[in-house]
Amino acid sequence: DDYMIPKGSWVFPSLSHACREGFPNPHAFDPDRMMPDRQENIKFRENFLPFGVGQHYCPGREYAINHVVAFVSIFTTMCDWKRTATPKSNDVVYLPTHYPRDVIVELSRRSG
């Protein structure tokens, strides 16, 4: 309780503990925690810092995004896409972005 941090010391806050506060069973892999019925990413948004923030921002965020974009770019050029419309295809769902409610897509490897 009476510890004085010496001048010039490096101090690293433990974000891993802060990020887990509030989440039920925080060490378990549970992607359902982000689903609309639970919305833990919204309820505990001040603790949800997957890439850090501010001075402790992780440059790996851009690296990860670039890899996802590269993967999607390569994947889409290697496949032929066939979309089948359904009666619900024109209904729009609004979440982080908007998309058709019911989409049936068949992928096949592009020949050549």
Side-chain angles (χ1 to χ4, degrees):
D1 288 327
D2 292 328
Y3 184 76
M4 178 71 77
I5 299 172
K7 183 178 180 178
S9 297
W10 284 65
V11 178
F12 294 96
S14 177
L15 290 178
S16 63
H17 290 94
C19 291
R20 294 183 178 109
E21 290 177 11
F23 289 98
N25 200 8
H27 299 287
F29 176 71
D30 183 9
D32 290 338
R33 68 176 79 242
M34 309 303 177
M35 297 301 287
D37 58 325
R38 289 175 52 189
Q39 296 184 349
E40 291 178 25
N41 57 323
I42 295 171
K43 291 177 190 172
F44 308 112
R45 74 174 142 250
E46 66 275 0
N47 299 331
F48 185 61
L49 305 169
F51 287 102
V53 68
Q55 178 178 352
H56 302 286
Y57 176 77
C58 178
R61 178 178 182 189
E62 276 71 30
Y63 183 72
I65 290 171
N66 286 337
H67 272 269
V68 170
V69 169
F71 169 78
V72 170
S73 300
I74 293 167
F75 181 77
T76 56
T77 61
M78 295 176 67
C79 295
D80 288 321
W81 300 65
K82 180 185 172 196
R83 179 175 180 227
T84 303
T86 68
K88 294 184 179 182
S89 292
N90 290 330
D91 295 343
V92 177
V93 176
Y94 298 94
L95 285 172
T97 186
H98 61 279
Y99 58 93
R101 179 171 300 281
D102 187 13
V103 178
I104 299 172
V105 177
E106 293 178 44
L107 299 176
S108 58
R109 187 176 181 96
R110 189 168 285 169
S111 60

